[in-house]
Amino acid sequence: LFLSTFTLAVSAGAVLLLPFSIISNEILLSFPQNYYIQWLNGSLIHGLWNLASLFSNLCLFVLMPFAFFFLESEGFAGLKKGIRARILETLVMLILLALLILGIVWVASALIDNDAASMESLYDLWEFYLPYLYSCISLMGCLLLLLCTPVGLSRMFTVMGQLLVKPTILEDLDEQMYIITLEEEAIQRKLNGVSSTVEYQTVELERELEKVKSKKTNLERRKKASAWERNLVYPAVMILLLIQTSFSVLLVALNILYLLVDETAMPKGSGGPGIGNASLSTFGFVGAALEIILIFYLMVSSVVGFYSLRFFENFTPRKDDTTMTKIIGNCVSILVLSSALPVMSRTLGITRFDLLGDFGRFNWLGNFYIVLSYNLLFAIMTTLCLVRKFTSAVREELLKALGLDKLHLSNNPRDSETKPSANGHQKTL
């Protein structure tokens, strides 16, 4: 649990590092000779980037594998059972895993690039092997962000709609409360009348009762909400989300044009003017603030999209119902996403801040075709997800108009939900 908490802290540091660097650069530009900010300089920020990279490597390749193997370990046969035996078995497993990965990389290097320089570089673990391995992990994280972020950008509208109170336009909340109360009482009477021997019916009715109670709670919350909260906050938040998403797509489209025209737009194109020498944004402090807001918005969207993907849907942590193995997996996933966030922000042109430390040593950042393809895919996938999100209601109405709604093409499982009555006829609820 301590190692997982430390990994989450490193993830938070990796996320906050880029906004901190951007705002530090603007502060140094605004107050270059101020005595009270002399501690804020380029060497400090450069050291923080190196520390973030070091701790990310440590958590990914040492601490989290140690935590997983420690959970699975029992101690070698013949040794006295206890913490020492489990730690010994875990260390042996880590050493064997490191030797296995080294052997695989050695064989792959011999097959692909069999020369003296390639073999000698493998001896230098600190300067070549670990940054190269971390570069591969970062590339995987950027590809995962390419899947998660467009889905999350469209999913954010649904999530905020669930958290906020929607306007009650052409709706009678009192009537809905009356109907849901009658439905709850009917299910409760059925539950009281069902024999305890029929277990599957009891479980089914309890599930329905929980759903009805949840709907009733939402209706009560909507009824208690003030007119300002219903009619002003919800539209304002939705418009703000739409503006941020559109602005992100616009920045990516402009970055694609820059890549085609100017070579310095590449993430690894230039070393940059340095900390405190020039503004990273055209609009100065306001532009830097907008960049920071967009970076946080992309991170939240990527996490929402990660847990919305069908493959990771069962990976979502739940209160009092999450195993330690699943917690470790979630920590590793969030660390990979947060470590790849600065790289993705620089690759998409959200910010012009040049990556420092080991973050800027990734070989694939200098490949024009990879960077251009990444920008194009992000813009296309985000646009498609948003179009699909905002045309789903129109699509369902067209299906109903054409009579195709009976084929159950709708995503809503309750549209065709029917319940058998006692006399054998079907009744639609």
Side-chain angles (χ1 to χ4, degrees):
L1 189 62
F2 172 75
L3 294 178
S4 300
T5 308
F6 180 75
T7 303
L8 277 181
V10 173
S11 305
V15 170
L16 296 173
L17 192 59
L18 186 58
F20 175 76
S21 303
I22 293 172
I23 202 165
S24 299
N25 184 69
E26 299 300 325
I27 289 173
L28 288 172
L29 276 175
S30 303
F31 309 100
Q33 303 298 329
N34 196 316
Y35 173 77
Y36 295 101
I37 59 169
Q38 292 299 312
W39 57 272
L40 191 63
N41 49 42
S43 62
L44 171 67
I45 297 173
H46 199 284
L48 287 175
W49 280 80
N50 282 327
L51 284 176
S53 178
L54 173 64
F55 283 123
S56 298
N57 276 307
L58 186 67
C59 291
L60 277 176
F61 303 124
V62 180
L63 299 185
M64 286 292 96
F66 179 86
F68 176 75
F69 288 133
F70 183 76
L71 280 179
E72 303 295 326
S73 65
E74 297 179 356
F76 291 116
L79 294 178
K80 186 179 178 181
K81 301 298 181 184
I83 297 294
R84 286 186 179 181
R86 294 179 63 186
I87 290 177
L88 178 62
E89 182 184 350
T90 305
L91 291 175
V92 171
M93 289 294 295
L94 280 177
I95 292 171
L96 291 175
L97 180 65
L99 290 175
L100 177 65
I101 295 175
L102 274 171
I104 291 173
V105 174
W106 190 279
V107 172
S109 179
L111 291 174
I112 297 171
D113 191 12
N114 189 13
D115 59 352
S118 174
M119 291 299 180
E120 288 177 4
S121 62
L122 287 176
Y123 289 111
D124 196 351
L125 294 179
W126 189 259
E127 289 295 327
F128 176 81
Y129 185 77
L130 281 178
Y132 180 75
L133 197 57
Y134 190 56
S135 173
C136 297
I137 297 292
S138 176
L139 179 60
M140 290 172 57
C142 287
L143 294 177
L144 186 60
L145 282 173
L146 186 62
L147 289 175
C148 300
T149 310
V151 176
L153 289 173
S154 61
R155 178 73 177 158
M156 284 291 289
F157 294 92
T158 305
V159 172
M160 296 307 295
Q162 293 171 352
L163 295 176
L164 299 174
V165 178
K166 297 181 181 179
T168 55
I169 302 173
L170 301 177
E171 280 187 297
D172 190 350
L173 293 180
D174 294 326
E175 183 182 355
Q176 292 185 24
M177 281 292 297
Y178 179 69
I179 293 171
I180 207 77
T181 305
L182 289 179
E183 188 176 349
E184 182 184 7
E185 292 175 356
I187 295 174
Q188 190 67 53
R189 282 196 298 270
K190 283 183 182 180
L191 192 60
N192 294 334
V194 171
S195 174
S196 58
T197 55
V198 190
E199 187 178 350
Y200 70 94
Q201 289 186 6
T202 306
V203 173
E204 195 69 29
L205 287 172
E206 285 178 352
R207 285 179 184 171
E208 292 179 13
L209 187 62
E210 287 295 326
K211 291 180 181 178
V212 170
K213 285 183 178 179
S214 176
K215 286 185 177 180
K216 187 178 180 181
T217 305
N218 291 333
L219 283 174
E220 289 175 350
R221 180 169 174 265
R222 291 182 66 187
K223 195 174 179 181
K224 291 178 182 177
S226 63
W228 288 99
E229 187 179 355
R230 283 199 305 264
N231 301 322
L232 184 63
V233 175
Y234 182 82
V237 170
M238 289 298 153
I239 291 172
L240 186 62
L241 288 178
L242 186 61
I243 290 173
Q244 285 184 331
T245 308
S246 304
F247 192 55
S248 302
V249 177
L250 181 63
L251 282 179
V252 175
L254 290 175
N255 189 52
I256 292 172
L257 292 177
Y258 286 142
L259 286 172
L260 295 173
V261 173
D262 191 3
E263 290 184 358
T264 58
M266 288 289 292
K268 214 174 180 180
S270 63
I275 303 295
N277 294 328
S279 180
L280 301 172
S281 174
T282 309
F283 302 102
F285 200 85
V286 177
L290 289 175
E291 287 180 4
I292 292 171
I293 292 171
L294 277 180
I295 289 168
F296 282 123
Y297 179 58
L298 288 177
M299 184 60 200
V300 174
S301 301
S302 65
V303 174
V304 171
F306 176 77
Y307 290 114
S308 300
L309 293 176
R310 193 168 297 178
F311 185 74
F312 300 106
E313 201 171 359
N314 296 326
F315 213 52
T316 308
R318 291 176 177 84
K319 186 180 178 181
D320 299 328
D321 190 25
T322 308
T323 61
M324 198 66 218
T325 307
K326 191 179 285 188
I327 290 174
I328 292 172
N330 277 279
C331 291
V332 171
S333 303
I334 293 175
L335 179 62
V336 170
L337 291 176
S338 59
S339 299
L341 179 68
V343 184
M344 186 190 76
S345 302
R346 181 67 182 93
T347 306
L348 294 178
I350 303 295
T351 179
R352 295 293 172 187
F353 185 84
D354 285 294
L355 305 175
L356 300 174
D358 290 336
F359 283 85
R361 295 171 58 183
F362 302 151
N363 295 327
W364 57 272
L365 287 177
N367 192 311
F368 173 77
Y369 297 103
I370 292 178
V371 174
L372 182 64
S373 302
Y374 192 89
N375 281 264
L376 286 172
L377 283 173
F378 183 87
I380 292 170
M381 290 175 66
T382 304
T383 306
L384 289 177
C385 287
L386 289 175
V387 169
R388 183 178 180 274
K389 172 69 180 175
F390 289 111
T391 59
S392 58
V394 178
R395 190 169 59 250
E396 288 182 4
E397 292 299 325
L398 285 174
L399 290 175
K400 288 180 183 178
L402 295 173
L404 299 176
D405 56 324
K406 298 177 182 178
L407 299 176
H408 309 300
L409 297 175
S410 173
N411 293 327
N412 189 1
R414 292 186 63 86
D415 290 346
S416 58
E417 185 176 331
T418 57
K419 295 190 177 183
S421 63
N423 58 4
H425 296 287
Q426 298 288 330
K427 289 185 179 179
T428 303
L429 183 64

